[in-house]
Amino acid sequence: MINLQHIERVFQVGDEEVHALRDVSMTATGGEYIAIMGPSGSGKSSLLNILGLLDRPDSGSYELDGTRVSELDEKEQARIRRHKIGFVFQFFHLVPRLTAFVNIALPLMLSGMKQAERQERVTTALAAFGLANRAQHRPDQLSGGQRQRVAIARATIMQPTVILADEPTGNLDRNAGIEVVEILEELNRQEITLIIVTHDPELGKRARRQILMVDGRIEDDR
Amino acid sequence: MQIQDFFRYTFNGIRAQRLRSFLTALGIAVGIGAVVLLTSLGEGLHHFVLGEFTQFGTNLIAINPGKITTHGVSGALLSNVRPLTLEDSASLKQLPQILDVVSVVQGNGAIEAGTHQRRATIYGVDASAARVWKFGVAAGRFLPDDPPRSARSFVVLGSKVRKELFGNNQALGERIRIGGELFRVIGSMKSKGQMLGFDLDDAVYIPAAKAMALFNRESLMEIDLLHSAGSSSSAVAEKVKKALQARHGKEDFTITTQEKMLEILGGVLNTLTIAVGALGGISLLVGGVGILTIMSITVNERTGEIGLLRAMGVERNQILVLFLGEAVILAAIGGLAGLVIGVCGSWLFSLIVPALPAHISWVYVASAELLAAFVGLLAGVLPARRAAGLHPVEALRAE
Ligand SMILES: Nc1ncnc2c1ncn2[C@@H]1O[C@H](COP(=O)(O)OP(=O)(O)O)[C@@H](O)[C@H]1O
Ligand SMILES: [Mg+2]
């Protein structure tokens, strides 16, 4: 359950103020599938960063599953990111020197899970995302679609309640893009809240709910 | 994060840039190698000098006439100083814990044997000198234990004098002239080598009373005491002082214990070793700057990764620890290599200069490794703090 109220985000660029988000309010219930759309520079990524606790709003409040997360300190926010939120990025953000297996295992490893326990979980995930025979490949040995699947496996390995994807297909060809979206939608069917930022209208239409942003405002929500 | 995962992750970062990591670690290795090598040489010198001093044993006390005060030596020139005598020697011998006493008179003179002649140091001593100075007899025997005032005219030759005067011929039983007086050779000594410039081999040993007559003097130059191993030098020295004060009426002599001398000498030599080690530490500083540079570059290159870690819920402090860990491990690897370099270097040095064997002190070696890790820690602080301070959104944008 997400509840944003009157979020403002202002960036200081030189002596100019850029309003990335203006009085943004929205709610989302568990298991929703939302596409955030809008032209470039309209504040989509800024909104996603706030939702993912990577950035703090200048004003307004953010409640996640009943907790006022906008008021938590850095440590507690990190804990929530760790357990509740999975990120998928346009540029995959895999660690280039680590194998697909280790990249997927990274969140488990960083949260202190023992290697023996990780093994099974990562192996299962690899199989689920069609990467069983790519476990020992490094990112530069994988195709774009495979890389994004590794990234999604990593984002879901901690079993988050929300997945935030910022232009997840932006760097993929059409077929790989559709494949990735279908994987994300499959996750959404398993009750994970899915929020995708995209400026591809066709992709946006697949979502049950679309939020249109223009110049930092929510222009349309349906 | 499990500790083995921490190591796996940091090692992985180091391994990913093999050449760069190697060169950086090399910087530390050179520094640590220098520290280990230099301290080993310092320790070697320490052992060498102490060995020179302790070749006479460590339970020695020396008494010299005149009182050394902060105003310098006084007494020797003043008429009211009672000189040290053979009787002083005899009385000190009666003290408990004193095992042996050597009365010493020393001078130079011509030694003649037939047609051969040589100038050498002449030591007037007691029969006990060989025992007290741990001086081995090569042939015959050392001076007999005659009553001091009526000692017979016997001489024992130092190894060099024996060789110069007699070559390969038999020396025992021969008569030689020392300062015009006739002495019978009853023994020759093993080589003892130099002792701070005094060549104990280029010397002859005659009874103290004979030497006093030879040099036309009434008093001794020094009395050496050997005390039992179990008793403390300072306690024995105190008793000796009381006894001699009672005989002389005042303290007109100076007591030096070997223990005290070694202590002072050891202190000086330790300081030397540490100073020399610190010199090597300067090259460590250079290695530290190398780590600082490389870690800064690493943080720059891995900015995207840092953003990712933050997005995955890694706390700022954990980022700090990860990068500090990488700097420390890099330095510690360099340190280990440096230990190998230093130890092998010391060993090589000992092979090349056997007279002054380097002595590896494992305390210094362990400290050097700790120092390397500490340098890594210090050098890592700045880059690691920068990594931890990055804004996650900015960091993610970097890729
Ligand atoms: N860190 C920043 N500093 C300055 N301006 C920023 C920063 N991040 C975003 N902006 C500005 O905020 C506005 C919204 O950016 P963003 O949320 O990235 O848009 P979108 O993702 O919809 O393209 C843009 O005008 C952008 O230039
Ligand atoms: Mg964007």
Side-chain angles (χ1 to χ4, degrees), chain A residues 11 13 18 20 39-46, chain B residues 394 397:
Chain A
F11 293 104
V13 182
V18 179
S40 182
S42 58
K44 306 183 294 292
S45 295
S46 301
Chain B
E394 304 286 326
R397 233 207 310 261

Side-chain angles (χ1 to χ4, degrees), chain A residues 81-82 93 97 112 118, chain B residues 2 5 305 310 313 316 396:
Chain A
R81 283 201 299 272
R82 196 152 62 231
H93 275 287
R97 61 179 187 280
R118 295 198 303 253
Chain B
Q2 303 272 322
D5 286 331
E305 181 182 328
R310 295 293 300 281
R316 259 193 211 135
L396 279 168

Side-chain angles (χ1 to χ4, degrees), chain A residues 77-90:
Chain A
Q77 286 196 343
R79 200 175 48 93
I80 288 176
R81 283 201 299 272
R82 196 152 62 231
H83 294 291
K84 294 199 162 173
I85 302 171
F87 290 93
V88 178
F89 306 96
Q90 179 178 356

Side-chain angles (χ1 to χ4, degrees), chain B residues 150-173:
Chain B
S150 52
R152 287 165 286 173
S153 296
F154 289 142
V155 62
V156 177
L157 306 179
S159 62
K160 197 163 181 179
V161 171
R162 201 210 75 84
K163 199 158 176 225
E164 291 294 329
L165 294 184
F166 293 98
N168 291 326
N169 298 331
Q170 176 67 265
L172 290 185

